[in-house]
Amino acid sequence: DPKKAILFFQEDVPQHSELAWLLNCITMMGRLKRMTTWKSKISIQADGEMNEVDDLNLNMGLFTYPVLQAADVLLYRTTHVPVGEDQRQHLELARELAQKMNRVMKTDFFPEPVAIINPAKRVLALKGDPPKKMSKSAPDPRSRILITDSTKEIHNKLRAAFTDSIDPESVQWDHVPTLDELSPGVANLYTILSCCTNEDPADLISMYHQKRYGHLKSAVAEAVEEKLAPIRAEFERLTKPENEGWLREVAAHGRERAREIADRNLAQIKSHLGLQQL
């Protein structure tokens, strides 16, 4: 709801990059080299092996990107941030920089943002062995589900989702397995189903663990479709040509509201740092 949430493009508020520069000045290179985004990029450069490789061809934008993310949070003196498990490290950096800036400025201007973690801490890709996190940048489009996917696309992707070679109907179970006891691909399906239905994973496992994976995949596909259908319908409505003017108005209004807050806060930060305008 644009009346409740401020919607804007980051590039329209230059104060983000200005605060990022100030934060860069108190961020140690050793700290950034330990960030997962940087280490994973180096790992890709080394063909997946976590060996030491030449990082001369990696760009500074990637290296300092976590600082820009911290600026995005701290510029608005944010107190709570909804993040996935993979982003927790980035928020920890934002908390550290808030503490450092407060010490430098001798104030408590920046609150230390708290992470709000979704119960599904980490949704994995539907393809790959072992599977990595679901990502829109993954090379295989079948590994992810998009809010714009049709019903048929959702069912096809989940039908082809990676599981394991076990036939659940032929296994003599002496107990109902926990989520941790299942293979990553199968556990991922239960995680997705749980998120869409708000049911406990243990109850879902009890229902499906003795059935072939096709039953589980069908249930997941139906649950995902039910969850995404109204979102997809609203997206399609908003992106119709007749709504372009309204979207531009929302972006323009959000830009002005965001700039007002960002400009006021950045002015106070500069004042605390002794960076007064002449």
Side-chain angles (χ1 to χ4, degrees):
D1 185 348
K3 295 179 181 178
K4 297 180 180 179
I6 302 177
L7 304 176
F8 64 97
F9 292 101
Q10 183 203 50
E11 64 196 52
D12 289 338
V13 185
Q15 290 88 346
H16 285 251
S17 51
E18 191 169 354
L19 178 58
W21 166 249
L22 295 174
L23 295 177
N24 273 326
C25 293
I26 62 168
T27 306
M28 301 296 104
M29 291 181 64
R31 180 67 176 87
L32 293 180
K33 283 185 176 182
R34 295 195 298 273
M35 299 300 290
T36 302
T37 47
W38 182 254
K39 292 198 295 185
S40 64
K41 189 67 174 180
I42 291 178
S43 174
I44 293 172
Q45 294 280 321
D47 297 325
E49 297 294 331
M50 292 301 287
N51 299 322
E52 193 170 326
V53 296
D54 186 358
D55 57 6
L56 292 178
N57 292 324
L58 299 181
N59 64 64
M60 185 59 68
L62 175 67
F63 187 63
T64 61
Y65 182 62
V67 182
L68 178 60
Q69 285 185 306
D72 294 340
V73 173
L74 299 181
L75 181 59
Y76 301 97
R77 304 179 74 184
T78 307
T79 58
H80 294 77
V81 184
V83 294
E85 185 66 27
D86 59 311
Q87 290 294 317
R88 187 190 290 271
Q89 186 188 42
H90 289 262
L91 196 61
E92 283 301 317
L93 177 64
R95 289 171 58 85
E96 291 173 19
L97 292 177
Q99 295 168 3
K100 286 184 94 172
M101 284 294 280
N102 284 340
R103 288 197 296 270
V104 170
M105 299 189 302
K106 295 181 174 59
T107 69
D108 57 356
F109 181 82
F110 289 112
E112 296 177 26
V114 176
I116 301 175
I117 303 293
N118 188 289
K121 295 181 179 180
R122 190 176 180 86
V123 175
L124 301 179
L126 301 178
K127 308 294 286 186
D129 181 24
K132 299 180 180 179
K133 72 167 186 173
M134 187 177 290
S135 170
K136 64 181 182 297
S137 60
D140 188 348
R142 299 173 300 168
S143 68
R144 57 184 173 271
I145 295 175
L146 307 176
I147 62 172
T148 53
D149 281 345
S150 66
T151 303
K152 182 178 180 181
E153 288 173 322
I154 290 173
H155 278 264
N156 286 343
K157 288 179 178 181
L158 283 162
R159 191 178 298 118
F162 180 81
T163 51
D164 56 38
S165 59
I166 297 174
D167 179 4
E169 291 185 345
S170 65
V171 176
Q172 297 299 317
W173 299 95
D174 58 359
H175 71 289
V176 177
T178 65
L179 202 62
D180 292 336
E181 291 176 311
L182 298 171
S183 65
V186 176
N188 189 47
L189 292 176
Y190 280 112
T191 297
I192 296 172
L193 183 57
S194 174
C195 288
C196 292
T197 62
N198 293 322
E199 295 182 63
D200 192 295
D203 295 333
L204 296 171
I205 294 172
S206 179
M207 292 170 57
Y208 291 101
H209 79 283
Q210 291 183 307
K211 298 180 180 179
R212 292 185 185 275
Y213 292 138
H215 296 284
L216 174 61
K217 290 179 176 180
S218 294
V220 176
E222 291 171 6
V224 170
E225 168 60 19
E226 184 178 350
K227 179 70 70 173
L228 292 185
I231 300 173
R232 181 175 63 233
E234 181 66 0
F235 176 84
E236 292 171 351
R237 183 187 73 81
L238 290 174
T239 52
K240 289 180 178 179
E242 59 265 30
N243 288 321
E244 181 179 344
W246 180 80
L247 290 174
R248 292 187 180 278
E249 287 179 9
V250 169
H253 183 57
R255 178 185 64 233
E256 296 309 313
R257 292 173 68 192
R259 280 185 176 178
E260 180 183 351
I261 298 171
D263 196 49
R264 180 176 64 248
N265 287 346
L266 188 60
Q268 292 184 63
I269 294 167
K270 288 182 176 180
S271 177
H272 287 309
L273 292 172
L275 302 175
Q276 305 286 0
Q277 289 184 335
L278 295 178

